[in-house]
Structures are given as structure tokens and as C-alpha cells.
């Protein structure tokens, strides 16, 4: 876990370190295009594997696991080609209203390819976890971020406005090539697997139960740029995405580490005591004591810091960061504690809460737009909705932690 956490830290340091350079090479519209492209592709990428990658660690022998990886490759190929067909139709023959601007850019044609790459990379990641090659996972993740960052800078210097999107593909493709170059078993045995349909039936519970849950979670994370682009335009999405990108660092690095520790300790306490009430309260207090000073500083200093480090054109993003910091302070507490839903096997409840979070968040943004008519107004409503839902997450996770 420490090795995997180190990879996350390295990746985030590279992202933050290159942001002052990229913010001066690319416009807010370019960052907006990147955010919309990422949101749409990440949402559809959930379906592209059938969630069979989650089963890669289950088979006792590597032959069956290789069959699962081949199944992932087949599904992702079919799904990506289908997405390409839809994009060609809706972009060229049956144009549909698209206020997000996604179909207006030629980068829409790259979306199916990126979805395919993400599916393969996800499968490879779980394969490496199966083999316990944690250092290789760390290297692959770091290599993805570093290669994408270097490519972004080069594209920026040459004035390629779609360079941020192109860099995404370069980053993930570089990591895929790296993993395949190191993996000695997977490729030679890939074509030998013949019982793919039987494997699909054996592990059919993963697409049946996990796709809706993961789609709900992904929607709650990715829908905001799409809605904002529809209401306010791509440039606003760029400002929002930069604000979100910069101030989520504590949540990404710290809460994932605490969540892993809490999950392991909670499993042990549940096994011994039947509940983990004491552990839950101690962890919650620790998270609250950490979140308040971190996000109080973000609230106070973000407009000044954004202007200084990223350039004056990003001052408005700092204002957005100030508003979002209130939401992230609550999220900082709720997310690690929510691992109890999986420990107690309440994934369906968690999926419903995530769906409610996405649905109410969308309503809140539209309400802010209709009532106040400004970006900040929509953000105020959205943050209020998110704070309320995170309080529900904390309440329900406490209930799950305390009953015997």
C-alpha cells in the first residue's frame, strides 16, 4: 500500500508542478475541452470492460485470469467501435444539439480510442495487482503522468490547442507499452485461451451488479463539467476544472491512505467485536481535525495563490476553488469512512446514495442557474447539495460501523 501511495503522491506532485507552466501555454478553453473529453470518456469507459477486471484476482490459476483479460479486450474493442460508429453518425450524418462542444471538436474521434486504452490499462492494473507487482504499478502510473505532462508542454510550445487531449492518449499508451514490455506471461498465453464465453458466464455477477454502481459513482464525479459547459460554455469549464484539479490534492493523497488503513482495521475490529464504533469515531475525529485547517487555508488564500502561480487569467478559478473548498472539507471526512459500505457488503446502498448525489447535484446546478443566473450561484447551490449528501454518507456509514 505504501508503494501504491507513493505512486499517487509522485503523480500529483508532477500534476501540480507542471500546472503553472501549462496554465500559461494553454487557454481556459483548452482546459475546458480536456475536462469535457475526460468526463465523457471516463463515464463510457465504465461499460467498456463489463467490470470484469474486478474479477482478475479471483481465479487460482493464471490461465483463467488470462482468459478474463482477453474477455476485457474483446468487450472493450466492441464497445469502442460502437462508440466510434455513434460519433461518426451524430457528428456527420445526424447532427444533434451539443452545447458541451464535444462533438464540435475533431478530438471526439479520439474518444473511442482513449476508452479502449483506458479499458486495457485498467485490466493490466488489476493483473499486476494479482501478481503483486506493486512497484510496477507505481512506475506505470508515474510514467503515465510524466509522459502526458511532457507531451502537454511540447504541444503547448508548438501551439497545438488540443494538445492536452492528445497528451492523455500518449500518457496511457506509454504506460500500456511499459507494462507489456515487462510482462512475460500475459502476451504469450493470450491467444491460447479458448473458453472466453464460459469465463464470461462464470463471472457474470460483475457486470450485473457493478456497472450500475460504478456508473453512478462516475456520474457523480464527472457530470459537473458537462453541465457547466452546457450552461456557461467551455471556458468556464476550464476555470472550474483547474480549481478542482489544484485543490483536490489533499483528498486524493491523504484520504486514500487513511481510507486504506481504516478499511483494514475495520475488518479486524468487525471480526473481533462485531462492530467498529470506536475506530470509526477516532478516525472521524482525526479527519475533521485535518480537514478544517487544510481547507480553511484554501478558502482564505486560493484566489491569491491561483493568480500568483497560474497567472492573472486564472484568478476567477481561485474564486471557484474558495467555494469548492467548503464541499471538499466535508468530502475529506466522508470518503474514507465510506469504505464501510464495502466492508458491510452494502454496495447497493452506496450506489443509490451516489446516484442521489449526482441527481441532486445536477438539480442544484440548474437551480442556481435559473434563480441566480451566474456560475458562482450554481456553485453555491451545488456545494450546498454536496455538503448535505456527504452528511448523509457520514450518518449511514456510522450506522453501519456501530451495529453488531
Amino acid at each position: 500500500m505504501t508503494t501504491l501511495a507513493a505512486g499517487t503522491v509522485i503523480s500529483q506532485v508532477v500534476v501540480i508542478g507542471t500546472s503553472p507552466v501549462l496554465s500559461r501555454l494553454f487557454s481556459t478553453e483548452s482546459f475546458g475541452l480536456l475536462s469535457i473529453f475526460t468526463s465523457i470518456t471516463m463515464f463510457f469507459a465504465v461499460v467498456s470492460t463489463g467490470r470484469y477486471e474486478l474479477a482478475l484476482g479471483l481465479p487460482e490459476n493464471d490461465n483463467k485470469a488470462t482468459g478474463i483479460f482477453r474477455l476485457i479486450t474483446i468487450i472493450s474493442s466492441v464497445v469502442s467501435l460502437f462508440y466510434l460508429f455513434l460519433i461518426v453518425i451524430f457528428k456527420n450524418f445526424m447532427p444533434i444539439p451539443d452545447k458541451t462542444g464535444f462533438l464540435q471538436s475533431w478530438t471526439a474521434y479520439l474518444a473511442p480510442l482513449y476508452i479502449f486504452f483506458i479499458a486495457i490499462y485498467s485490466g493490466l492494473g488489476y493483473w499486476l495487482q494479482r501478481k503483486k507487482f506493486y512497484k510496477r504499478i507505481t512506475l506505470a502510473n508515474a510514467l503515465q503522468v510524466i509522459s502526458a505532462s511532457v507531451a502537454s508542454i511540447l504541444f503547448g510550445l508548438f501551439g497545438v490547442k488540443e494538445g492536452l487531449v492528445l497528451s492523455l492518449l500518449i500518457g496511457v499508451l506509454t504506460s500500456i507499452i511499459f507494462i507489456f514490455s515487462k510482462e512475460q506471461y500475459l502476451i504469450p498465453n493470450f491467444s491460447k485461451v479458448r473458453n472466453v464465453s464460459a469465463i464470461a458466464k462464470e463471472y457474470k455477477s460483475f457486470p450485473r451488479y457493478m456497472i450500475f454502481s460504478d456508473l453512478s459513482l462516475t456520474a457523480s464525479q464527472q457530470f459537473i463539467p458537462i453541465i457547466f459547459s452546457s450552461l456557461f460554455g467551455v471556458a468556464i469549464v476550464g476555470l472550474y476544472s483547474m480549481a478542482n484539479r489544484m485543490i483536490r490534492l489533499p483528498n486524493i493523497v491523504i484520504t486514500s491512505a487513511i481510507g486504506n488503513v481504516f478499511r483494514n482495521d475495520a475488518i479486524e475490529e468487525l471480526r473481533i467485536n462485531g462492530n467498529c464504533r470506536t475506530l470509526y469515531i477516532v478516525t472521524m475525529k482525526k479527519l475533521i481535525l485535518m480537514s478544517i485547517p487544510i481547507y480553511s487555508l484554501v478558502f482564505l488564500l486560493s484566489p491569491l495563490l491561483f493568480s500568483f502561480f497560474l497567472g492573472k487569467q486564472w484568478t476567477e478559478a481561485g474564486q471557484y476553488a474558495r467555494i469548492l473548498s467548503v464541499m471538499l472539507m466535508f468530502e475529506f471526512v466522508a470518503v474514507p469512512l465510506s469504505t464501510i459500505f464495502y466492508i458491510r457488503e452494502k454496495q447497493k446502498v452506496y450506489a443509490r446514495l451516489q446516484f442521489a448525489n449526482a441527481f441532486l447535484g445536477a438539480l442544484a446546478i440548474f437551480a442556481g442557474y435559473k434563480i441566480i443566473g451566474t456560475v458562482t450561484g450554481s456553485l453555491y447551490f451545488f456545494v450546498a447539495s454536496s455538503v448535505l449528501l456527504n452528511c448523509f454518507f457520514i450518518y449511514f456509514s456510522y450506522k453501519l460501523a456501530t451495529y453488531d
Side-chain angles (χ1 to χ4, degrees):
M1 285 299 177
T2 303
T3 304
L4 294 177
T8 302
V9 172
I10 292 170
S11 299
Q12 292 304 310
V13 167
V14 172
V15 169
I16 299 299
T18 56
S19 290
V21 178
L22 296 177
S23 66
R24 289 167 170 84
L25 291 175
F26 291 96
S27 65
T28 56
E29 287 82 2
S30 293
F31 278 94
L33 176 63
L34 171 68
S35 183
I36 294 165
F37 182 90
T38 304
S39 295
I40 292 174
T41 53
M42 292 305 292
F43 182 80
F44 286 108
V46 172
V47 184
S48 66
T49 62
R51 308 313 285 157
Y52 279 106
E53 73 271 28
L54 300 173
L56 272 167
L58 300 181
E60 292 184 5
N61 63 79
D62 285 345
N63 287 332
K64 183 175 285 187
T66 304
I68 295 174
F69 185 82
R70 185 176 183 183
L71 175 63
I72 292 169
T73 305
I74 294 170
I75 294 172
S76 59
S77 299
V78 173
V79 171
S80 297
L81 287 173
F82 179 68
Y83 289 154
L84 179 60
F85 171 77
L86 291 180
I87 289 171
V88 170
I89 294 296
F90 291 137
K91 189 172 172 61
N92 298 286
F93 301 103
M94 297 173 57
I96 59 175
D98 176 29
K99 293 184 179 180
T100 67
F102 174 74
L103 290 174
Q104 297 173 21
S105 172
W106 65 268
T107 56
Y109 293 118
L110 298 177
L113 182 61
Y114 183 63
I115 289 169
F116 176 75
F117 285 165
I118 287 295
I120 299 302
Y121 186 61
S122 178
L124 288 172
Y126 280 92
W127 173 268
L128 293 179
Q129 286 187 40
R130 170 187 174 83
K131 307 297 287 186
K132 298 182 179 180
F133 293 153
Y134 299 123
K135 289 185 178 179
R136 200 168 290 177
I137 297 172
T138 300
L139 287 172
N141 290 338
L143 185 61
Q144 178 184 359
V145 175
I146 292 171
S147 58
S149 298
V150 172
S152 295
I153 292 172
L154 291 175
F155 281 127
L157 291 173
F158 284 100
V160 181
K161 66 178 183 178
E162 298 87 359
L164 293 173
V165 173
L166 292 170
S167 299
L168 275 183
L169 278 79
I170 291 173
V172 69
L173 179 60
T174 302
S175 291
I176 289 171
I177 293 172
F178 167 75
I179 295 172
F180 275 132
S181 70
K182 297 294 183 180
E183 182 51 52
Q184 302 300 316
Y185 182 91
L186 190 58
I187 296 178
N189 293 277
F190 184 82
S191 60
K192 297 179 182 179
V193 180
R194 293 288 180 265
N195 57 339
V196 175
S197 59
I199 291 173
K201 292 179 181 178
E202 181 177 353
Y203 296 100
K204 63 183 179 181
S205 62
F206 286 92
R208 178 180 295 176
Y209 297 116
M210 295 306 299
I211 286 180
F212 175 74
S213 174
D214 291 342
L215 277 176
S216 299
L217 177 60
T218 304
S220 68
Q221 296 171 339
Q222 303 293 342
F223 77 96
I224 307 172
I226 298 173
I227 295 176
F228 269 108
S229 63
S230 299
L231 298 177
F232 301 106
V234 178
I236 294 299
V237 177
L239 293 168
Y240 168 83
S241 65
M242 180 62 79
N244 193 53
R245 172 181 185 172
M246 297 298 287
I247 67 171
R248 274 196 178 272
L249 180 62
N251 285 48
I252 294 172
V253 176
I254 299 175
T255 60
S256 60
I258 294 177
N260 289 333
V261 174
F262 173 74
R263 182 182 64 247
N264 295 334
D265 291 346
I267 292 171
E268 186 67 23
E269 282 207 15
L270 287 169
R271 187 180 297 118
I272 297 172
N273 303 321
N275 68 73
C276 56
R277 181 179 183 276
T278 302
L279 173 67
Y280 185 96
I281 293 174
V282 169
T283 305
M284 183 172 65
K285 288 180 178 178
K286 183 189 299 182
L287 289 165
I288 291 172
L289 290 174
M290 294 175 69
S291 68
I292 291 175
I294 290 173
Y295 284 105
S296 294
L297 287 174
V298 172
F299 183 86
L300 293 171
L301 301 177
S302 53
L304 177 64
L305 293 176
F306 271 66
S307 178
F308 179 77
F309 285 105
L310 303 180
K312 291 185 178 180
Q313 69 272 27
W314 296 96
T315 303
E316 190 175 351
Q319 298 290 348
Y320 298 168
R322 169 174 283 174
I323 300 170
L324 292 171
S325 65
V326 178
M327 174 187 76
L328 293 177
M329 183 171 64
F330 283 83
E331 191 177 296
F332 190 96
V333 178
V335 170
L337 298 175
S338 293
T339 56
I340 194 70
F341 284 96
Y342 293 97
I343 298 170
R344 290 288 199 178
E345 298 183 356
K346 299 294 183 180
Q347 292 93 329
K348 289 185 179 179
V349 176
Y350 190 60
R352 288 170 186 152
L353 287 172
Q354 289 290 357
F355 179 79
N357 189 29
F359 181 73
L360 292 177
L363 284 181
I365 292 173
F366 278 111
Y369 172 72
K370 290 294 184 180
I371 296 171
I372 302 178
T374 64
V375 179
T376 52
S378 287
L379 281 177
Y380 287 138
F381 276 72
F382 170 68
V383 167
S385 169
S386 182
V387 167
L388 179 64
L389 263 296
N390 276 305
C391 288
F392 273 108
F393 279 120
I394 294 171
Y395 172 77
F396 283 113
S397 60
Y398 174 76
K399 289 291 185 181
L400 290 174
T402 54
Y403 80 81
D404 292 325

